[in-house]
Amino acid sequence: MKNKVAVVPGDGIGVEVTAEAVKVLEALAPSLRTSIELVHYDWGAERWLKDRTTLPEGAFEDLRDHHQAILFGALGDPRVPEQIHARDILLGLRFRLDLYINLRPVKLLDDRLTPLRGKTTRDIDMLVLRENTEGLYVGVGGNFKKGTPDEIAINEDVNTRKGVERILRAAFEMARGRRKKVCMSDKANALTYAHGLWQRAFKEIAVDYKDVEASHLYVDVAAMEMVRAPERFDVLVTSNMFGDILTDLGAAIVGGLGLAASGNIHPGRCSLFEPVHGSAPDIAGKGLANPLGAISSTAMMLRHLGEESAATRIEAAVERVVKESRVTRDLGGKLSTQECGKSVLDALA
Ligand code: NAD
Ligand code: IPM
Ligand code: MN
């Protein structure tokens, strides 16, 4: 048996941070329970500019049937119109692989890193589950009379009973392994049809999890509470769009986007792991990017592959370099991307 992992560095700092994540993975490879094979793919803006390929023919089936995970950097390049490559590759894989759980931990590793006065590592440790296969992201809609003063622009918010139910159940299941609290966040007071479904499903499913405390906050209040009283949250479950926004906010309260990790998961299937940040054209190619989000995403990937002890080792090493300030400038350190990656390797050894 062998785990085959697709490595897709993508664009901008995606390339720089993925290189460091791969070094960590390679360093740990000999200690893994199951051997790992890394296969590198050049999908991204450069490839698109060269031959107009986004996700190559047959790639989706190959990932689905012959890979156990995808380690992903970031996609985004101003030279590609409407970021069609990101839509086809990243959103395409989330949808087509049916990766319905976007798992995004928000955990403060060191008191110094939060901008929230008086909050400590005891106060900020939450897990956000972002629905990842529907909502406003489905791409259902269109333009009418585009470019004229009478233009109409529509993106439909698609919510299915099945889609809502499975992400809510995943949240309750994960809460059982934590502090047994689930907060569901929506905007049912305005989006009565779409988020009315979330409310009804949440109430019904909560009955199956009587050991878990179920609560609700409208998303505007949830955003405020994440800043005012983050200690209220254990597991937070929400829709695709709200989860996107709340997890950048989550990153900001624990030290910034450079640290934030994520998994796009369908339990038991090929899943995709990536830092929460994008390609950061403003700092790309300068060795300034923080690789810790990508490295922590690698830990999440190993956990998905059943390599719990390797995952825990990486997380401990990341925590240690953060505490010792062997980090990049966004976290107040002096190291380059590569030096920070090296500090994690040293901490592992
Ligand atoms: P971004 O996340 O790329 O950058 C936002 C800000 O955070 C920038 O100032 C950047 O320098 C900083 N930052 C991000 N990651 C960092 C890191 N690892 N270390 C230090 N600083 C870091 O968001 P953006 O600028 O809105 O988007 C740039 C491009 O990336 C866009 O094309 C966008 O669509 C795309 N994007 C892709 C993904 C993805 O592939 N998953 C995610 C978000 C954005
Ligand atoms: C993210 C990103 C993507 C999203 C973009 C690049 C489409 O912001 O992964 O958080 O909105 O999901
Ligand atoms: Mn985002």
Side-chain angles (χ1 to χ4, degrees), residues 191-204:
L191 311 179
T192 47
Y193 308 118
H195 289 181
L197 169 60
W198 280 75
Q199 296 248 330
R200 281 180 281 120
F202 188 61
K203 285 200 186 92
E204 286 166 31

Side-chain angles (χ1 to χ4, degrees), residues 112-113 254-256 258-259 290 292 322 325 327-333:
R112 283 180 295 115
L113 291 182
V254 297
L259 269 178
N290 183 347
L292 296 179
V322 165
S325 215
V327 292
T328 44
R329 287 186 216 180
D330 54 309
L331 297 184

Side-chain angles (χ1 to χ4, degrees), residues 4 33 36 39 45 48 67 77 90 111 128 138 147 175 196-197 200 216 244 254 256 264 267 281-282 291 309 312 333:
K4 196 166 163 184
R33 295 166 57 215
I36 202 162
V39 192
W48 185 85
H67 295 69
D77 189 301
L90 179 59
D111 295 352
V128 180
V138 293
L197 169 60
R200 281 180 281 120
H216 170 264
D244 179 43
V254 297
N264 300 262
D282 55 336
S309 101
T312 313

Side-chain angles (χ1 to χ4, degrees), residues 90-91 94 104 130 137 244 274 276:
L90 179 59
L91 296 181
R94 286 179 184 169
R104 298 187 158 185
R130 165 188 180 190
Y137 276 67
D244 179 43
E274 54 168 347
V276 173

Side-chain angles (χ1 to χ4, degrees), residues 50-118:
K50 205 164 62 195
D51 63 13
R52 295 294 185 266
T53 300
T54 56
L55 195 64
E57 184 79 29
F60 160 69
E61 291 78 7
D62 187 37
L63 291 169
R64 182 192 61 195
D65 300 337
H66 305 295
H67 295 69
Q68 280 62 50
I70 305 164
L71 185 61
F72 191 88
L75 287 176
D77 189 301
R79 296 170 298 172
V80 183
E82 292 169 15
Q83 306 302 309
I84 49 170
H85 67 313
R87 192 192 60 209
D88 278 12
I89 302 169
L90 179 59
L91 296 181
L93 289 175
R94 286 179 184 169
F95 284 106
R96 296 170 73 191
L97 290 170
D98 200 28
L99 306 174
Y100 65 95
I101 304 170
N102 194 326
L103 192 62
R104 298 187 158 185
V106 175
K107 187 174 194 288
L108 182 62
L109 298 180
D110 189 285
D111 295 352
R112 283 180 295 115
L113 291 182
T114 185
L116 304 182
R117 182 163 27 90

Side-chain angles (χ1 to χ4, degrees), residues 96-263:
R96 296 170 73 191
L97 290 170
D98 200 28
L99 306 174
Y100 65 95
I101 304 170
N102 194 326
L103 192 62
R104 298 187 158 185
V106 175
K107 187 174 194 288
L108 182 62
L109 298 180
D110 189 285
D111 295 352
R112 283 180 295 115
L113 291 182
T114 185
L116 304 182
R117 182 163 27 90
K119 301 300 176 191
T120 69
T121 52
R122 279 197 308 273
D123 300 311
I124 313 181
D125 180 5
M126 56 191 285
L127 192 59
V128 180
L129 277 82
R130 165 188 180 190
E131 201 295 319
N132 213 30
T133 51
E134 45 187 60
L136 276 164
Y137 276 67
V138 293
V140 174
N143 292 102
F144 181 53
K145 299 188 180 176
K146 192 173 179 182
T148 75
D150 296 325
E151 174 163 355
I152 296 173
I154 296 171
N155 274 97
E156 299 278 8
D157 187 1
V158 174
N159 295 261
T160 67
R161 172 72 202 205
K162 174 186 151 192
V164 172
E165 176 154 352
R166 66 183 179 175
I167 190 71
L168 293 176
R169 285 198 183 275
F172 279 104
E173 293 292 335
M174 286 189 197
R176 279 188 167 159
R178 295 175 50 98
R179 301 195 302 280
K180 295 196 166 63
K181 283 163 60 169
V182 173
C183 177
M184 190 275 281
S185 189
D186 63 30
K187 192 68 188 171
N189 46 355
L191 311 179
T192 47
Y193 308 118
H195 289 181
L197 169 60
W198 280 75
Q199 296 248 330
R200 281 180 281 120
F202 188 61
K203 285 200 186 92
E204 286 166 31
I205 291 160
V207 174
D208 294 342
Y209 297 88
K210 291 217 171 66
D211 53 322
V212 178
E213 179 193 315
S215 64
H216 170 264
L217 289 175
Y218 292 123
V219 69
D220 45 355
V221 180
M224 177 183 70
E225 287 299 274
M226 279 177 67
V227 171
R228 196 191 66 84
E231 65 279 5
R232 284 186 66 171
F233 296 99
D234 178 18
V235 172
L236 174 62
V237 60
T238 190
S239 63
N240 208 337
M241 176 61 94
F242 294 161
D244 179 43
I245 300 166
L246 290 180
T247 52
D248 266 33
L249 175 61
I253 64 172
V254 297
L257 269 178
L259 269 178
S262 78

